[in-house]
């Protein structure tokens, strides 16, 4: 469900994914061009739950069934 003032940029979402109000999937690489693209959001597996006001950094990969806590920041490492 994507209806509560969320931002989901350039991402692939599996089935039965829920984003609570204010969740953001950032899509602009400011730090590094790992993918060769300027914009790349996240890959989110089936049945994931993303809490209110959580932020996923560009390039985030969530395995199926992952739960991200409210107000969490998911940083990707590497590059």
């Amino acid at each position: 469900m994507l209806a509560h003032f969320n931002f989901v940029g350039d991402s692939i979402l599996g089935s039965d994914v829920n984003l609570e109000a204010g969740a953001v999937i950032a899509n602009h690489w400011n730090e590094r061009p790992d993918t060769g693209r300027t914009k790349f959001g996240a890959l989110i597996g089936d049945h994931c739950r993303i809490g209110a006001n959580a932020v996923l950094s560009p390039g985030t990969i969530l395995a199926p069934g992952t739960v991200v806590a409210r107000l969490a920041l998911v940083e990707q490492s590497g590059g």
Side-chain angles (χ1 to χ4, degrees):
M1 174 104 182
L2 182 66
H4 300 287
F5 302 108
N6 303 98
F7 176 78
V8 177
D10 302 292
S11 299
I12 299 172
L13 281 64
S15 64
D16 187 38
V17 171
N18 181 266
L19 283 79
E20 290 184 351
V24 171
I25 301 176
N27 67 335
H28 193 273
W29 289 97
N30 289 323
E31 301 87 15
R32 55 191 186 270
D34 290 352
T35 64
R37 299 178 49 92
T38 302
K39 293 186 177 184
F40 180 77
L43 300 175
I44 300 177
D46 296 341
H47 314 293
C48 287
R49 303 291 181 254
I50 301 169
N53 297 307
V55 176
L56 306 183
S57 65
T60 295
I61 299 172
L62 295 182
T66 299
V67 176
V68 176
R70 291 176 181 100
L71 298 172
L73 170 61
V74 179
E75 283 280 4
Q76 290 303 109
S77 61

